[in-house]
């Protein structure tokens, strides 16, 4: 099934929107040296100047790293900005709906609720596997977007590639594939397949493998025309100068990042093996991310016990398919050993 034309997928008010044009949008030359166009203060360089609204320099550094063209990149204040923009661009409040896997990342539903868009969760299998046919069956003519997350949060597993492709190829709307954790997985990332799949939006982030959650920088990769819509709707200067500079600095530190990822993957295997041997541990789910899900006896009590010992994991025991489950992020060996030591001396109350 081919993609509906963007003119039919996009909300009419957004399709017809004439965006705000900033001083820095209208003047693009490099030769000028006197800038008296934006009511900035001439003192306090470099913070006196508005930052590049389209972050061109950073996108040119990012493009070869991510295997996309600069025009296929949107940068947002965290992935959360990209997720919110997907709703604001494609989904008419009170009318359209989105379909998403469940359980998954909580922000898709929060953004749907904020934008008054109906959210249709479709449960994954008991092993957190994706069944494309079940997901597609939940979509109707008012479904604008399907949300997938791979590796999925909180389960940690990659969704099967063939099933993702079935969803993408058999849905005429937009498919968001959130690959926040793809650096920890061996699967080929979907951002490298933008030319084959014009209806996908792939999400990446600086918050996980790149170790930069504090700077709030999310990425969306999609065909140029979709990125142009993001640029039209976003706040003019959505990425501040400090964030743009620090992101560029992280791209220069690619070797550190690669080393962190390798270290975390090695540590992950050790922590999971040690977990499986704990008396209270019922199950350790396979993972392709920098965290894993584990089912334990009396998860709420274990969680509270760890809090009392100054160790915080994520209690997912109230989430569908995650009864008695905790989600554990891989830390440094010292941090992970403190967690394991605490759990070894835990006595059920
Ligand atoms: C952590 C995470 C993100 C990152 O969000 P940011 O706003 O970029 O920090 C995105 N998606 C998923 C599924 C995540 O778990």
């Amino acid at each position: 099934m081919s993609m509906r034309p963007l003119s039919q997928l996009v909300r009419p008010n957004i399709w017809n929107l004439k965006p705000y044009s900033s001083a820095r949008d209208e003047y693009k030359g490099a030769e000028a040296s006197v800038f008296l166009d934006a009511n900035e203060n001439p003192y306090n360089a470099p913070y006196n100047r508005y930052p590049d609204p389209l972050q061109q320099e950073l996108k040119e550094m990012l493009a070869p790293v991510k295997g996309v063209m600069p025009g296929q990149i949107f940068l947002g204040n965290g992935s959360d900005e990209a997720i919110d923009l997907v709703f604001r661009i494609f989904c008419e409040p009170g009318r359209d709906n989105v379909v998403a896997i469940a359980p998954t990342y909580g922000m898709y539903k929060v953004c749907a609720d904020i934008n008054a868009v109906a959210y249709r969760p479709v449960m994954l299998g008991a092993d957190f596997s994706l069944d494309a046919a079940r997901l597609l069956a939940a979509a109707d003519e008012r479904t604008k977007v399907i949300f997938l997350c791979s590796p999925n949060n909180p389960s940690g597993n990659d969704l099967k590639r063939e099933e993702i492709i079935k969803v993408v190829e058999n849905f005429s709307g937009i498919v968001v594939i959130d690959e926040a954790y793809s650096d920890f997985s061996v699967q080929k990332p979907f951002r490298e397949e933008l030319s084959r799949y014009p209806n996908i939006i792939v999400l990446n982030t600086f918050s996980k493998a790149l170790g930069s959650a504090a700077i709030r920088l999310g990425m969306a990769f999609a065909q140029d025309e979709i990125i142009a819509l993001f640029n039209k709707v976003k706040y003019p200067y959505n990425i501040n100068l400090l964030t743009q500079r620090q992101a560029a600095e992280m791209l220069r530190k690619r070797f550190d990042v690669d080393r962190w990822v390798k270290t975390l993957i090695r540590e992950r295997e050790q922590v999971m093996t040690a977990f499986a041997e704990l008396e209270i541990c019922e199950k350790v789910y396979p993972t392709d991310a920098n965290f894993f899900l584990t089912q334990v006896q009396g998860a709420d009590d274990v969680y509270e016990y760890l809090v009392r010992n100054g160790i915080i994991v994520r209690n997912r025991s109230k989430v569908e398919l995650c009864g008695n489950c905790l989600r554990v992020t891989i830390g440094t060996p010292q941090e992970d050993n403190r967690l394991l030591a605490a759990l070894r001396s835990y006595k059920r109350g």
Side-chain angles (χ1 to χ4, degrees):
M1 192 187 294
S2 64
M3 179 186 176
R4 278 174 270 173
L6 279 173
S7 57
Q8 282 174 37
L9 282 173
V10 173
R11 294 167 66 199
N13 62 315
I14 302 298
W15 190 253
N16 297 320
L17 178 72
K18 191 177 174 329
Y20 173 75
S21 183
S22 69
R24 290 292 176 271
D25 278 323
E26 287 179 10
Y27 176 76
K28 289 206 176 84
E31 318 82 55
S33 52
V34 179
F35 289 98
L36 303 175
D37 59 342
N39 298 347
E40 295 153 336
N41 190 319
Y43 306 111
N44 200 36
Y47 303 110
N48 57 334
R49 300 293 174 195
Y50 281 100
D52 177 359
L54 291 174
Q55 310 97 28
Q56 304 283 13
E57 214 175 302
L58 182 53
K59 285 177 185 171
E60 268 160 39
M61 286 181 74
L62 255 180
V65 174
K66 295 293 184 179
V68 300
M69 300 302 290
Q72 296 172 322
I73 306 175
F74 163 78
L75 298 177
N77 189 330
S79 309
D80 299 340
E81 182 181 1
I83 294 165
D84 187 53
L85 283 174
V86 166
F87 284 97
R88 291 166 64 203
I89 291 167
F90 295 104
C91 303
E92 198 59 40
R95 179 183 178 283
D96 291 334
N97 67 70
V98 302
V99 167
I101 57 169
T104 193
Y105 187 46
M107 273 310 283
Y108 315 141
K109 178 162 194 318
V110 171
C111 283
D113 289 346
I114 289 171
N115 288 286
V117 171
Y119 186 84
R120 298 182 173 181
V122 177
M123 209 81 95
L124 293 168
D127 57 352
F128 301 111
S129 59
L130 170 64
D131 177 346
R134 285 191 47 219
L135 206 66
L136 289 162
D140 61 20
E141 68 282 358
R142 289 193 172 175
T143 306
K144 292 292 190 62
V145 186
I146 293 179
F147 282 91
L148 302 177
C149 182
S150 180
N152 187 36
N153 180 0
S155 51
N157 60 310
D158 277 327
L159 301 179
K160 237 200 184 147
R161 198 175 171 76
E162 306 86 84
E163 293 299 304
I164 295 179
I165 290 171
K166 271 189 221 164
V167 173
V168 171
E169 289 187 336
N170 293 289
F171 180 56
S172 64
I174 300 292
V175 181
V176 171
I177 309 172
D178 189 338
E179 294 189 330
Y181 299 99
S182 60
D183 300 85
F184 302 101
S185 160
V186 293
Q187 258 201 39
K188 182 177 158 67
F190 271 90
R191 64 170 185 265
E192 291 170 11
E193 314 231 35
L194 294 180
S195 49
R196 190 185 301 192
Y197 305 117
N199 60 330
I200 62 172
I201 298 174
V202 178
L203 303 181
N204 276 193
T205 178
F206 273 69
S207 300
K208 309 287 157 61
L210 284 151
S212 306
I215 73 172
R216 309 305 305 131
L217 191 63
M219 297 164 267
F221 308 108
Q223 56 150 309
D224 300 51
E225 283 165 79
I226 293 177
I227 296 303
L229 291 162
F230 275 89
N231 290 339
K232 189 155 107 158
V233 178
K234 75 180 186 71
Y235 290 156
Y237 304 105
N238 61 326
I239 308 297
N240 70 66
L241 177 70
L242 297 169
T243 293
Q244 291 189 45
R245 287 193 166 177
Q246 183 56 28
E249 177 61 20
M250 289 315 299
L251 295 178
R252 283 182 218 105
K253 286 199 198 167
R254 284 298 302 165
F255 294 115
D256 286 318
V257 174
D258 289 346
R259 192 164 38 80
W260 295 338
V261 168
K262 286 203 184 79
T263 303
L264 287 169
I265 290 173
R266 214 179 317 118
E267 176 72 5
R268 174 180 84 191
E269 306 314 315
Q270 289 178 13
V271 177
M272 287 170 74
T273 304
F275 246 84
E277 287 163 5
L278 292 171
E279 217 164 298
I280 53 161
C281 180
E282 298 281 359
K283 191 167 176 145
V284 176
Y285 287 90
T287 185
D288 302 284
N290 66 333
F291 63 85
F292 64 93
L293 196 65
T294 177
Q295 190 178 52
V296 298
Q297 296 160 9
D300 292 338
D301 293 340
V302 175
Y303 173 78
E304 293 299 339
Y305 163 81
L306 289 173
V307 170
R308 286 195 302 274
N309 284 274
I311 300 167
I312 316 297
V313 298
R314 193 92 152 113
N315 186 357
R316 297 283 76 184
S317 57
K318 301 285 178 293
V319 172
E320 59 265 72
L321 301 180
C322 302
N324 272 321
C325 282
L326 302 175
R327 192 192 70 192
V328 180
T329 307
I330 303 303
T332 62
Q334 293 79 357
E335 291 170 328
D336 300 336
N337 287 337
R338 262 194 62 190
L339 168 67
L340 286 163
L343 289 174
R344 284 186 191 113
S345 49
Y346 173 71
K347 298 273 173 292
R348 286 197 71 182

